[in-house]
Amino acid sequence: MMRWYSRRFSRTVCLWLAFISVTLHLLLVALSPFVYQSSCKPPTSRQTHPYTLRALAYTNDTSTGSDSHASHANQAKMPPDARKVDPSKMDTTRHHKITKMDATKMSTEIGNGPSSPVNMGDRIGRSGSMGSGLSKLDALFSHPLYDVPTLPIPEEDWLMRIKVSDPEIDYDPAHWNSTSDSQPPWLRFHLGISRRQLYPHRDPNMPSLIQQLSKHRIVSAVQKSGGTQLKLVMSFPNYGQAMLKPMKQERDEESNFNLYYFSDFERHNAEIAAFHLDRVLGYRRIPPAVGRLVDVVKEIKDITTDHRLAKTFFTSPVGNVCFYGQCSYYCSTEHAVCGRPHELEASLAVMLPDPSLAKRHSWRSPWRRSYSRSKVAAWETDSQYCDTVKKTAPYDKGTRLVDLIDLTILDFLMGNMDRHHYETFEKFGNNTFLLHLDNGRAFGRHSKDEPSILAPLEQCCRIRRSTLSRLRLLSLPQYRLSDVMRESLSHDPLFSVAPLLSEPHLLALDRRLNVVLQTVRDCQRRQVASPPLINKDLTVEMTSPHIVMAI
């Protein structure tokens, strides 16, 4: 009996196990189509740390002669700890390497690498940005040739310092310098002028200064005395002042070819573009200038205390408010400045410190034009003219000659033939930079270059090594001069109305840059064909680790 019950129990267990097994198989069969048809997501790509991208960008900027495959290979060979870049130490490390770089090697690397221009050009998208995410302008200003570590500036190399003679006044020097936010932007600009430049490369005060020029309320407008064309001095509530030049010519309009250079209009957009070009070249010798739409009635006519200016206002036949002021050229009803109907485009450039506080010396340019319809200047007929200049003070020593050639290159790029004088701050004597003022007659013609502007470079065959290095850099596709200028000008408030420079003017910059570099190559060929005697007057450049170079 017991055997029968045991056999029956075993059969029941086996049946249950078989039932469970069949059920599980059926479930697997039913679920298998869904498992097989579900999509398989590919593995996510490894993310690159943003600081690593920036480090690679700096590496690409300074390396030459390596293609993109080699750079990827080098990245793969980097140890894991090398790929993690500490952002707090990156700039210090990079600057340490730059200061040890030989100037000659740096000059040779730029533009002479066998494949760097092509490889870097491949990394630039249609948006004009670099492979690291930096725009061309940001990449240019981050390049070692621009982002150079600077030494502390000695007290005597500052143009202005606050002097307090009253002992009862609580004077704190920390509140009277270019970095103090308690002072208005124009005063911080004045306190930031040094023997080397008008403002530093990464000037934290620049956005505030541009904001003041373009947005702050205007409380006074008077005509500036002197000069050949109409200019106004505008005042702000914080006692800052700016030089206004009104719109006289459309942006896409070229100067009349039948006019002499001294009869040309002064253009508002030329002053703005000159400031941007001077900054792109790394000079920083032109006061900041910005575009602004000015209400002719509310911001000039109604607030002016200049009676000579006030009586020149009139309303045109189509209802536009116009004025013409009093000056040597183009101050008449035929050449009046008119709003549309009240709004007038203009450039506003921050004023330099008053001459009573910081005297300036005006120097006649050795390559000044005759300003005559029939006469020519001596340098136009004497190919050895530079030999005489180099024996004349202040061009016989120091960096004054290459300072003037820097200015010459700027003028040629923007087509400015009206450079009869230049100025320096008297406090610094002859060992200081040149002020690049009054650029209103630049950017008049884009279809024609004026090679005579380059006479100082062609005759003297001398140029700063740092200037030549930057010019070569700006000739490369990833830093193309027209592209960085286009981007820089797009930040101006008037860009919302229309681009400050037309495309033909921007393209002319690239063409003229090639002419400058070709002039340098021609000088080098002449030196090779006829080696000169050793130059005893080569001096160390004041503002840069690069030396002055005779070519």
Side-chain angles (χ1 to χ4, degrees), residues 15 76 100 143 162 179 245 263 305 373 473 500 528:
L15 288 173
K100 292 186 176 180
H143 194 278
I162 304 299
T179 61
K245 289 191 177 182
S263 302
T305 57
R373 294 179 177 87
L473 187 71
L500 270 299
V528 171

Side-chain angles (χ1 to χ4, degrees), residues 261-282:
Y261 51 88
F262 49 83
S263 302
D264 195 10
F265 285 120
E266 289 189 352
R267 288 164 284 275
H268 72 301
N269 62 316
E271 292 287 354
I272 303 167
F275 159 64
H276 285 263
L277 179 59
D278 176 85
R279 183 165 164 256
V280 164
L281 292 175

Side-chain angles (χ1 to χ4, degrees), residues 159-215:
L159 178 65
M160 297 178 63
R161 277 295 176 262
I162 304 299
K163 295 181 180 179
V164 178
S165 56
D166 191 344
E168 296 182 0
I169 297 178
D170 184 16
Y171 167 64
D172 182 4
H175 294 291
W176 289 93
N177 56 56
S178 61
T179 61
S180 175
D181 292 335
S182 61
Q183 307 306 326
W186 65 267
L187 180 56
R188 297 203 297 271
F189 169 69
H190 288 179
L191 294 175
I193 299 174
S194 69
R195 181 188 296 273
R196 304 171 182 174
Q197 57 197 1
L198 282 176
Y199 54 91
H201 172 55
R202 303 276 190 185
D203 187 4
N205 182 51
M206 190 60 67
S208 300
L209 185 60
I210 296 299
Q211 175 76 8
Q212 171 181 305
L213 294 173
S214 60
K215 297 294 184 182

Side-chain angles (χ1 to χ4, degrees), residues 298-361:
K298 294 180 180 179
E299 295 180 310
I300 300 179
K301 181 182 179 182
D302 290 350
I303 62 174
T304 185
T305 57
D306 189 334
H307 300 293
R308 296 185 307 162
L309 176 65
K311 66 182 183 181
T312 66
F313 279 84
F314 65 95
T315 302
S316 72
V318 294
N320 294 332
V321 179
C322 308
F323 66 100
Y324 52 87
Q326 295 182 6
C327 60
S328 303
Y329 293 97
Y330 304 124
C331 283
S332 63
T333 53
E334 293 81 11
H335 301 98
V337 175
C338 298
R340 297 180 180 177
H342 293 171
E343 282 190 338
L344 172 68
E345 282 190 32
S347 66
L348 272 78
V350 63
M351 298 283 284
L352 293 172
D354 190 270
S356 62
L357 300 175
K359 292 183 179 180
R360 300 197 298 269
H361 185 85

Side-chain angles (χ1 to χ4, degrees), residues 30-209:
L31 293 175
S32 61
F34 299 99
V35 174
Y36 294 145
Q37 292 176 12
S38 62
S39 60
C40 295
K41 294 183 178 180
T44 57
S45 59
R46 181 170 60 182
Q47 299 295 322
T48 306
H49 198 279
Y51 293 123
T52 306
L53 284 175
R54 185 170 296 179
L56 291 175
Y58 289 134
T59 304
N60 287 335
D61 286 345
T62 56
S63 64
T64 57
S66 59
D67 58 17
S68 58
H69 297 289
S71 62
H72 288 301
N74 293 334
Q75 180 184 357
K77 294 177 182 178
M78 292 171 61
D81 57 343
R83 297 182 186 178
K84 297 179 180 179
V85 181
D86 184 357
S88 64
K89 298 179 180 179
M90 178 179 297
D91 288 342
T92 304
T93 305
R94 181 165 55 89
H95 288 168
H96 177 69
K97 293 179 180 179
I98 297 165
T99 54
K100 292 186 176 180
M101 182 178 292
D102 178 69
T104 307
K105 182 178 179 181
M106 182 182 291
S107 173
T108 304
E109 285 178 346
I110 299 173
N112 293 336
S115 57
S116 57
V118 177
N119 297 326
M120 287 300 295
D122 293 340
R123 297 189 182 100
I124 303 170
R126 292 183 180 180
S127 62
S129 62
M130 307 293 289
S132 62
L134 296 174
S135 68
K136 285 189 178 183
L137 185 64
D138 290 337
L140 179 74
F141 287 158
S142 298
H143 194 278
L145 285 172
Y146 287 81
D147 201 5
V148 179
T150 57
L151 298 174
I153 300 177
E155 190 69 21
E156 63 271 15
D157 283 357
W158 292 106
L159 178 65
M160 297 178 63
R161 277 295 176 262
I162 304 299
K163 295 181 180 179
V164 178
S165 56
D166 191 344
E168 296 182 0
I169 297 178
D170 184 16
Y171 167 64
D172 182 4
H175 294 291
W176 289 93
N177 56 56
S178 61
T179 61
S180 175
D181 292 335
S182 61
Q183 307 306 326
W186 65 267
L187 180 56
R188 297 203 297 271
F189 169 69
H190 288 179
L191 294 175
I193 299 174
S194 69
R195 181 188 296 273
R196 304 171 182 174
Q197 57 197 1
L198 282 176
Y199 54 91
H201 172 55
R202 303 276 190 185
D203 187 4
N205 182 51
M206 190 60 67
S208 300
L209 185 60

